[in-house]
Amino acid sequence: MRFIADLHIHSKYSRATSKDMSPENLWRWAQLKGISIIGTGDFTHPKWFKELNEKLQSADNGLFMLRSDLMTNDIPDLCKAEVFFILTAEISCIYSKNGKTRKIHSLIFTPNFADAAKINIALSKIGNLNTDGRPILGLDAKELLKIVLNESPDSMLIPAHAWTPHFSIFGAASGFDYFEECFEELTPHIYAIETGLSSDPLMNWRLSALDKITLISNSDAHSPKKIGREANIFDIEISYKSITDAIKTKNGFIGTIEFFPEEGKYHYDGHRACGISMSPKETIKNNYLCPVCGKEVTIGVMHRIERLADREEGFRPKDAPPFYSIIPLPEIIADVLKIGVNSKKVDKDYQDILNKLGSEFKILMDIPIKDIEQANYSLLAEAISQMRKGDVYIAPGYDGEYGKIKLKRTEDK
């Protein structure tokens, strides 16, 4: 069975997240987006763990479903579908190793509440799990992996947003140059990395060291509307074991849905305080200093990959699964209408379009352009056609500033 999964989101108990991040809203928005499996996020937080226990019920496949009495009837008919939850969490490890401060974020997937509780008990002895849905622990990432495997052998740890400068395994500011430097003898238990919004598989394929692992993509959403901005495509039966097996073996893992990486907020180098964005070549030319204030710039993902790559741009490994670069539908609607993406008009049109055509991913990826035109959305059809071709203008993101993306045809008009 082919389905889409977003395995990294956050709850309302994480910093800078929407109060609308509840199981009910995640269930609803997953259907609007066309997502079959959504991560719970933050199972380490006691209040969220309790809420998940109360509102989810076992689906007997290592996954969970929203209790039927909490389901609402406000889903467009063409979007209605089953939604499963997978227990997930993100841990921030800050520690010193090999003479350098490391700040590594990791995703954890676990098959049941009992195993999640064991992991929580072990982690609560190291740091406070109550302060943030994504707890910060003074714990070596290797030791975190050891705890996860000891408490729950069927759980999985995956380095999160692997190239983000400040909080990732390969980040320029606090990461490592290779897996073994971080996880040592436990490296064989790392089966995947999350590529993050500022990189895509094409960029990651430049490193031969990543050939054996799976490149997954997730939204890292802090609000319901943002789920699915990146996601994974599987063709397997729906179960926890099938998902983790597909990630381990690549069998049944058939691709990812990606941001255009330039739109990610750490793609280029730069200094946001001075409004300076630079390509890697420009950064080197300026001796890694901001030309305005003279301070060191933040080294972005493109630069970091260039530094570690052992292959030329454009290399594609044999049998690598495809990826699909998208622009979220509300952004396309806003671009067509030349108004802000958070306007009420965009929200209304978004709901109207879903009512007529189906889920967001179906519209962005599957419905023939002529069918979108015949539904009286000619400009939208043209814009989606341009997106599918990758025919876009992008001012790359840098130093925490999202890139700005425009569709060429709508921009020309």
Side-chain angles (χ1 to χ4, degrees):
M1 177 180 177
R2 183 182 181 275
F3 62 86
I4 294 172
D6 183 356
L7 306 173
H8 180 187
I9 64 102
H10 286 282
S11 73
K12 57 193 172 186
Y13 296 104
S14 281
R15 293 177 186 175
T17 54
S18 167
K19 62 180 179 5
D20 294 330
M21 291 297 271
S22 66
E24 297 94 323
N25 282 329
L26 290 171
W27 173 84
R28 177 176 181 270
W29 275 93
Q31 292 175 81
L32 300 183
K33 296 284 184 175
I35 295 169
S36 297
I37 298 181
I38 184 78
T40 61
D42 299 353
F43 72 64
T44 55
H45 194 278
K47 290 183 179 179
W48 185 239
F49 187 83
K50 181 176 183 291
E51 185 170 346
L52 293 173
N53 258 292
E54 292 172 347
K55 293 182 176 180
L56 301 183
Q57 57 189 22
S58 174
D60 296 323
N61 57 3
L63 303 173
F64 300 84
M65 301 182 74
L66 187 69
R67 274 182 18 214
S68 58
D69 60 305
L70 299 175
M71 297 178 180
T72 58
N73 293 317
D74 58 346
I75 312 297
D77 288 342
L78 293 177
C79 296
K80 289 180 179 177
E82 282 191 325
V83 174
F84 295 87
F85 290 82
I86 180 171
L87 293 176
T88 64
E90 182 182 11
I91 309 296
S92 176
C93 293
I94 301 181
Y95 60 103
S96 179
K97 189 166 188 173
N98 300 335
K100 184 178 179 179
T101 299
R102 312 292 180 171
K103 300 179 181 180
I104 311 297
H105 285 191
S106 299
L107 301 177
I108 301 172
F109 306 156
T110 199
N112 54 64
F113 281 107
D115 282 13
K118 292 178 184 177
I119 293 171
N120 289 349
I121 291 170
L123 296 181
S124 68
K125 297 175 182 178
I126 298 166
N128 189 348
L129 302 185
N130 290 278
T131 57
D132 192 355
R134 182 186 61 206
I136 299 172
L137 304 177
L139 178 68
D140 189 307
K142 173 193 166 184
E143 295 305 312
L144 173 63
L145 174 57
K146 188 182 295 185
I147 289 170
V148 169
L149 295 176
N150 286 343
E151 300 299 333
S152 175
D154 292 328
S155 289
M156 177 178 281
L157 182 146
I158 295 175
H161 41 72
W163 297 98
T164 301
H166 302 290
F167 299 99
S168 68
I169 186 170
F170 296 135
S174 60
F176 299 91
D177 289 350
Y178 50 92
F179 285 120
E180 290 78 6
E181 190 182 4
C182 179
F183 294 107
E184 300 174 358
E185 76 278 6
L186 296 183
T187 298
H189 294 283
I190 300 299
Y191 299 99
I193 60 168
E194 182 185 61
T195 58
L197 301 182
S198 296
S199 83
D200 62 13
L202 186 62
M203 296 168 67
N204 285 262
W205 290 335
R206 295 189 62 194
L207 282 78
S208 60
L210 303 183
D211 285 354
K212 293 182 180 180
I213 68 167
T214 303
L215 303 175
I216 70 169
S217 293
N218 301 292
S219 68
D220 196 0
H222 286 214
S223 66
K225 291 182 179 181
K226 298 294 185 181
I227 67 170
R229 56 184 176 178
E230 291 202 334
N232 309 281
I233 309 172
F234 294 88
D235 191 2
I236 53 175
E237 71 174 23
I238 292 184
S239 73
Y240 176 87
K241 187 175 188 304
S242 293
I243 292 169
T244 53
D245 282 351
I247 292 174
K248 289 178 179 179
T249 66
K250 301 186 181 182
N251 296 325
F253 184 88
I254 61 172
T256 55
I257 298 167
E258 305 279 340
F259 245 38
F260 284 91
E262 296 89 344
E263 195 177 1
K265 59 183 179 179
Y266 290 104
H267 186 74
Y268 255 18
D269 308 333
H271 189 201
R272 180 170 50 170
C274 295
I276 294 298
S277 170
M278 297 190 291
S279 69
K281 288 183 179 179
E282 291 171 323
T283 300
I284 294 170
K285 183 179 179 181
N286 283 281
N287 296 315
Y288 293 82
L289 301 177
C290 172
V292 175
C293 70
K295 295 181 180 179
E296 288 189 2
V297 298
T298 297
I299 302 301
V301 170
M302 183 179 179
H303 193 144
R304 181 65 171 157
I305 288 178
E306 182 71 38
R307 185 178 294 177
L308 298 184
D310 56 356
R311 291 168 172 160
E312 295 297 319
E313 288 186 50
F315 179 87
R316 182 189 182 95
K318 184 180 179 182
D319 301 325
F323 67 93
Y324 307 89
S325 298
I326 66 161
I327 302 171
L329 183 57
E331 292 184 25
I332 296 178
I333 295 169
D335 190 80
V336 168
L337 298 176
K338 306 301 180 191
I339 58 177
V341 70
N342 295 317
S343 69
K344 292 182 179 179
K345 172 65 173 170
V346 169
D347 284 343
K348 181 181 181 303
D349 283 8
Y350 180 79
Q351 295 296 330
D352 290 345
I353 292 165
L354 297 192
N355 273 299
K356 290 183 180 179
L357 296 175
S359 70
E360 180 172 342
F361 279 136
K362 183 178 178 183
I363 294 166
L364 294 177
M365 300 173 64
D366 300 328
I367 296 179
I369 296 300
K370 64 178 182 180
D371 291 353
I372 301 175
E373 291 175 342
Q374 289 172 0
N376 293 322
Y377 295 116
S378 58
L379 282 177
L380 178 68
E382 185 178 7
I384 290 174
S385 176
Q386 294 305 307
M387 179 207 71
R388 291 180 184 178
K389 296 173 185 175
D391 201 7
V392 298
Y393 293 111
I394 308 177
Y398 65 95
D399 195 19
E401 187 79 20
Y402 281 108
K404 295 176 174 59
I405 188 166
K406 292 286 184 180
L407 293 151
K408 286 190 174 181
R409 288 290 181 89
T410 58
E411 180 67 13
D412 292 342
K413 288 185 177 182

